[in-house]
Each structure stands twice: as C-alpha cells, then as structure tokens.
Amino acid sequence: MPPLVRPPSLVLAGLDPLAGELAAHLHLGGRSFTRLASDAPAARRALSRAETAIVAAGPDTPAEIDRIATACAQRRARQPLRLILVSDREPASAPPAPPAQARLRIETHGIEEAAARALLTRWPLHAGLDPLFGQAAHLLVAGWAPPARALILQALRLMHYGGPTPVLTIASDAPERDRANFLAAHPQAEAIARLRFVTPEDPVAADTPPVTTAHVCLEDAAAGLALAERLAATIAERQRVAPPIHLEVGALEPRGGLDAWDGQLHPYSYRRVACHPEVLLDGRGDELARTIHAHYRDSIAAQGRDPDLAPAGRTWEALDDAYRRASRHQADHLWAKLALSDCRALPEELVETFTFSPLEVERLAEIEHDRWAADRRLAGWTHGPQRDDRRRHHPQLVPYAELSEPMKDLDRFAVRLAPVLLARYGRGLVRMLIVGLPEPEPPVPPTRALARLAEEVLERLVARYPDRSLVLATTLAGAASRAIVRRGIEAFGAGLFLLAERPLGETLAAQPDAAARRDLLGLVAQAERRIALPDPDALAAWFAERAEIELRIGAPAPNPAAKGVRIDLARGCVAWGFEY
C-alpha cells in the first residue's frame, strides 16, 4: 500500500502566463499545490481544506476572487483562507474581500517591489562605499526593463548616509523624455537625491562621485550583458573604479565557475528572487519588519489600548499592506544605520549589551528623519503647516535642524530602539575592530613563519577585544595579504573590506598565474564592502583615518598620519604597542 499523505493545503489560481510561472517556482521550491482551473466541485473541495491560495492577477481577478469567496463560504477550517494576490507591480492596497462570510484574508505580493527589496538587501548600497570616509552613494541604473523602476524607488528610500548628497544616474536611450515621465510620477524625487538622466554612452561626468554600484535592466539579456561590459569599461577608464554591476538575465541560467568570473558582473533573475516560495509564502525578508510591528503592537498594549482596534496595530496577518510597507521600509534602512556606526548584527548569544553613543544617536536620528521624509515624499506628501491626510500635507517635512526638540526626540527614540528590535529578532549589535593590511613593497610571499605570526596576532586581537567583531581591510593584491585574510575568515570569522585603489581588472591582470587570480576572486566574492579609493593618496588616507590597527607585512614604510596601533610582522617577530 502506498504511504498516506495529507492533501496539499496550497492552491493556485489565475491565468497563464503568470500562473504557470508561479507553478514552476513552487515546483522548484518543493511545494505541493492544487491548480484551480474552474469552480467545479473538486476545486471547491480543495479550497475547503486549503490554508493558502495564490492568485495570479489578471483581467479576470475580481471574478476569480468571487469564485474563491463563494467556495470558501462553507469552509470547515477555523482560520480564514489566506489569499495572496500576485502581480508584477504591487497595487496601492489589497482589494476588499467579498462579503464577510467569504472568510478571506487578502494580501498582495508585487513581484518587482519584492525583488527590489531582496536585491538591495543582498547587495546594499553601502556595500560599494564607506560613508564614514565621506563617500557618497552613487547608483547607476541602465535600462527601464523590470525591476528598474522598483530598484530606483527602493534606492531613494535607502540611500541616506549623511554627508555628500547621494547620486542616482539613470541611463537610457531617451533621457529627456524619461526625466519628464519620472518626475511627473515622482515630483519630489529631486529633493531626495541628485538625479541624472543620461545616455548609456556617457554614464559619468567629471563632477559626479564614483559609481558605487550599478544595475543593468534590459529586456534582452544578451544586449544587457554587452551594455554591462561597456559600462564597466567606461567607468574604469573615466573614474578608475570597478563597482559591482548587477545584471538582470531573465530566464537564462548563468554557467561557468570562478575562473570565468570577472569579479564585477553579478547575474540574477528578479522573478526567480521574488517568486521563491520562501519569499512568497514564508515571509523571508520580512522577519525584521514583523519584529518592528510586533514591538509597535506591544507599545499600544502598554498604553492600555487594544492594538487590534487600531488599523495600524492589527496582527501582521490582518494588517493592511500600506502599514506592512511602512514597517518594511523602516527595517530595510536599519542596515544602513549599522554601516554608519561601524556595527554588525550577530547572533544574540555572541553579543553583550549595546547602546549607541549620544553623538551616534544624533547623527543617526537625522538620517532616520531623512529616510522617513523620503518615504513620505515618494508617496506624494508635501510640506504643510497642518497635517492633512486627505491632501497629504505634513508639517514635519522639513530638514531635521528645523524640527522641534519633541519631534527630534521621536527620531532619537527610533535610533535607541534599534538594539531592542534586533534583540527581539535574535540579533545583537557589536562594533567592528577594523584592522588594515597595507601591501608591502616589494611583495612578500606567504611563508609559514608569516602565517604563524599573523595567526598569533589575530588570536591576540580577538582575545584583547572580545566585544568587537574583527574586520580585515586590504587591497588583496598580494598573496601574503590574501593568506592572512583567508586565515582570519576561517579561524576567527573575520569580515573583509576590499580596498580598491584601481579597477579590479588591473589587479587581476597583475597576478602571476591562474591560481593567484582564482585565489583573488574567491576572496572578492566574500568581501562585504568594496571601497573604491581611486585618488593617489586615498589608500594611505583611508588606513590613517579608518583602521584602528595596522598589520605591517614585511615592514612597509610607516604611515605618519596613522592614528591606530601598528603591528610589525617582519623579521620573525611581533612588535606591539606602537603609538595610538
């Protein structure tokens, strides 16, 4: 007798091609489901026991929802049916459920918006810069194929790091037309960042900061690849940097191993990202947003009020999509705040208690206000002396310096709350210990003695600073520095900042053989930051300003401007305690 199994608790409805695409993603994710092709008795029986229904939105969606509602009227399950309405772009809000007896709980899932959030979480804007070194975020988006527009809007919500004004360059064949169309839809976007609409042949200018990351979104993946390669060459020639370039490839499957990679192009399929069952069904990527909302519910209850009676206080499952998005935007920007305070989020059991300093609170509060204001501006709000929800006027849409102290305190409270929210999320904050590894001149081979000394130093640093998270910063140009970094990652869980004083292609070309290039690329793939330092004196300035400790391999000439400890790994000894 074959094994007995529970019937699928997931049903899928809607018209092809989107429904067929969702079915393929569910299959790839190992999820069982029943495809609803009609309102026949078999379909009604499937809905009577289902927990979740996915509806691919299309012209027939209202009728489809009505059919599902009718079939659900006699549901035996205690819980209402969770109905996920999937569309390419997320609607402003979920459609109202049919009559109450339908027992439906409707939520929306916009593929482009979900993909943009996931992509800018996987590759955050600060992965290509160091805001504490005065660098500005500069995102280049080439092409308007999905998810370009969603990426642009999500970036405008996230690119606040203080300091220089962020730059958003949009490259297309008709820049003037696209500028007019974009600003007609988002008239306040230029109050958030410097916007540049250019042709792909002229993506950068002398007065723009280096591009820190790029996305290429064309309908044709082959044309997108060709454009990405041209952009990489142009940016390297004019700005002497090689930012990560993320390429939308649609249904194509990237092939080849590490040897075939140039260290710069990152292919992805936005629909595959957004329609993965863990994203679509299990809420992957919403964990922190749910935590933020749960804390908000608790704060309402602490005031003696019932959170379920407030539209913004209902449970996440019953929450209107607009309130969900507000929590998501707040959660997404938290990682930018950590980058601005040299902090990392680790499993809570590895971390002691943490608080931001008063100076950090004030700096981050201003950035939190900028984030909030950008979110409001993109939603169509403008400044007004009195709040008017109907006309979308808000008196707090002013620079942070012009806020009253009580209003500033709200932003300060949001910053001080971040460690609490992360603790509820199972994470704790820890400050980085940034250790710089300048490259020696001439290059030094990775000998056993050097490896032993380096491991001894790293072990003593970890023991000396138990409340810090080790981060190694180097160009990765030499075999010795790469050997130390690899040991730091393997033995001590160190992070890696890649300091790019020249385009990565030039560093790869300077390697002596294929094994060295593969060694370099393997570590490039693990770098959490790729910091471009194209000016001749920028690398030395970065070590002097940002590295708390320098490990000097082979006794390079000391940096007279260095403020931290210098440790000499030359001549078989470790010399500690150079000047602070």
Side-chain angles (χ1 to χ4, degrees):
M1 176 179 176
L4 298 175
V5 296
R6 182 182 297 275
S9 61
L10 174 66
V11 297
L12 172 64
L15 301 177
D16 287 332
L18 180 54
E21 184 179 354
L22 292 170
H25 288 298
L26 292 171
H27 278 305
L28 288 173
R31 303 298 176 96
S32 299
F33 62 93
T34 297
R35 182 75 180 265
L36 297 186
S38 67
D39 59 353
R44 290 196 293 271
R45 284 196 299 271
L47 285 168
S48 70
R49 60 178 177 255
E51 297 175 0
T52 303
I54 301 173
V55 175
D60 193 42
T61 295
E64 189 74 62
I65 293 177
D66 284 339
R67 285 194 294 269
I68 292 175
T70 301
C72 287
Q74 304 300 321
R75 275 174 62 82
R76 297 178 182 178
R78 294 182 179 180
Q79 296 297 324
L81 178 72
R82 177 192 182 196
L83 191 152
I84 304 173
L85 184 61
V86 181
S87 58
D88 286 319
R89 291 190 181 179
E90 193 159 11
S93 61
Q101 64 267 27
R103 304 187 65 195
L104 290 181
R105 191 181 72 237
I106 302 178
E107 59 190 72
T108 63
H109 183 85
I111 294 174
E112 293 179 33
E113 288 77 6
R117 288 189 62 231
L119 292 169
L120 290 181
T121 297
R122 168 65 180 84
W123 295 300
L125 297 174
H126 55 261
L129 70 145
D130 183 359
L132 292 178
F133 192 59
Q135 295 182 325
H138 183 175
L139 171 65
L140 168 63
V141 178
W144 281 105
R149 186 176 295 274
L151 281 168
I152 291 167
L153 295 177
Q154 181 71 351
L156 286 170
R157 297 184 185 102
L158 299 179
M159 61 197 323
H160 309 285
Y161 295 95
T165 302
V167 180
L168 178 57
T169 296
I170 301 169
S172 68
D173 294 331
E176 292 304 319
R177 179 202 65 195
D178 292 336
R179 170 187 284 276
N181 291 340
F182 186 79
L183 292 179
H186 307 285
Q188 298 189 80
E190 290 186 307
I192 301 172
R194 178 186 172 189
L195 300 185
R196 301 176 64 247
F197 289 79
V198 301
T199 63
E201 291 71 33
D202 193 25
V204 295
D207 65 341
T208 59
V211 175
T212 52
T213 191
H215 280 264
V216 176
C217 305
L218 298 185
E219 294 288 352
D220 182 86
L225 175 59
L227 176 57
E229 291 173 340
R230 291 200 306 272
L231 289 173
T234 301
I235 294 169
E237 177 186 359
R238 298 186 189 178
Q239 295 191 321
R240 301 293 300 156
V241 298
I245 297 180
H246 309 290
L247 174 64
E248 161 59 24
V249 296
L252 297 182
E253 292 282 352
R255 297 294 174 87
L258 194 62
D259 288 330
W261 186 41
D262 66 352
Q264 193 170 3
L265 293 181
H266 300 264
Y268 68 85
S269 165
Y270 84 95
R271 299 182 79 84
R272 195 175 302 141
V273 168
C275 296
H276 192 286
E278 290 185 0
V279 176
L280 179 60
L281 296 171
D282 304 336
R284 187 176 70 185
D286 274 346
E287 297 89 348
L288 185 54
R290 285 172 174 262
T291 299
I292 289 172
H293 182 66
H295 184 86
Y296 177 69
R297 279 175 53 84
D298 290 346
S299 67
I300 294 177
Q303 300 170 19
R305 297 185 292 137
D306 184 351
D308 290 328
L309 299 180
R314 296 168 183 160
T315 63
W316 182 267
E317 291 73 19
L319 195 62
D320 184 82
D321 286 324
Y323 295 116
R324 290 193 192 194
R325 287 198 287 274
S327 293
R328 286 167 177 158
H329 297 162
Q330 184 180 351
D332 293 342
H333 193 260
L334 181 57
W335 311 114
K337 295 182 178 69
L338 300 192
L340 274 163
S341 50
D342 276 346
C343 291
R344 303 174 82 187
L346 300 179
E348 189 181 15
E349 62 270 15
L350 302 178
V351 179
E352 299 295 330
T353 56
F354 178 95
T355 55
F356 289 114
S357 71
L359 287 176
E360 287 175 323
V361 168
E362 194 63 18
R363 183 174 71 248
L364 296 178
E366 182 172 357
I367 291 164
E368 167 61 16
H369 177 69
D370 290 342
R371 178 207 69 79
W372 173 86
D375 204 18
R376 286 293 187 273
R377 293 184 192 280
L378 290 174
W381 289 72
T382 58
H383 175 262
Q386 301 292 330
R387 176 164 180 167
D388 186 330
D389 290 357
R390 184 182 62 82
R391 301 170 66 187
R392 296 193 175 185
H393 289 173
H394 205 296
Q396 312 309 329
L397 278 174
V398 295
Y400 180 79
E402 298 179 19
L403 294 176
S404 66
E405 284 302 308
M407 290 297 102
K408 289 181 179 179
D409 281 339
L410 293 177
D411 293 313
R412 293 165 183 151
F413 176 76
V415 171
R416 295 189 184 102
L417 187 62
V420 176
L421 295 173
L422 283 168
R424 293 185 62 156
Y425 176 53
R427 296 289 186 270
L429 287 183
V430 60
R431 297 189 187 278
M432 298 176 183
L433 176 67
I434 300 178
V435 177
L437 279 74
E439 293 291 344
E441 291 290 347
V444 172
T447 63
R448 289 185 178 180
L450 179 63
R452 175 182 57 80
L453 289 170
E455 184 163 356
E456 177 189 340
V457 169
L458 295 179
E459 186 173 14
R460 292 172 68 179
L461 287 175
V462 170
R464 172 66 179 81
Y465 300 96
D467 59 340
R468 307 287 289 277
S469 179
L470 183 65
V471 174
L472 303 176
T474 181
T475 66
L476 295 178
S481 66
R482 293 199 297 270
I484 293 172
V485 168
R486 182 171 291 101
R487 189 58 185 155
I489 293 173
E490 293 172 353
F492 306 104
L496 170 59
F497 284 3
L498 170 58
L499 307 179
E501 60 177 337
R502 56 180 175 172
L504 184 59
E506 295 182 12
T507 303
L508 284 167
Q511 299 306 307
D513 51 40
R517 289 191 291 274
R518 187 165 51 250
D519 182 40
L520 171 59
L521 287 170
L523 288 173
V524 168
Q526 298 183 64
E528 60 188 80
R529 298 270 192 95
R530 183 186 296 192
I531 302 168
L533 302 167
D535 296 332
D537 300 324
L539 183 62
W542 193 93
F543 279 126
E545 193 173 318
R546 297 287 284 121
E548 297 180 68
I549 295 171
E550 281 190 15
L551 295 188
R552 302 192 304 157
I553 307 169
N559 185 351
K563 301 175 183 177
V565 178
R566 296 199 298 273
I567 302 173
D568 190 353
L569 295 180
R571 298 179 302 279
C573 67
V574 178
W576 287 82
F578 285 86
E579 58 197 61
Y580 278 90

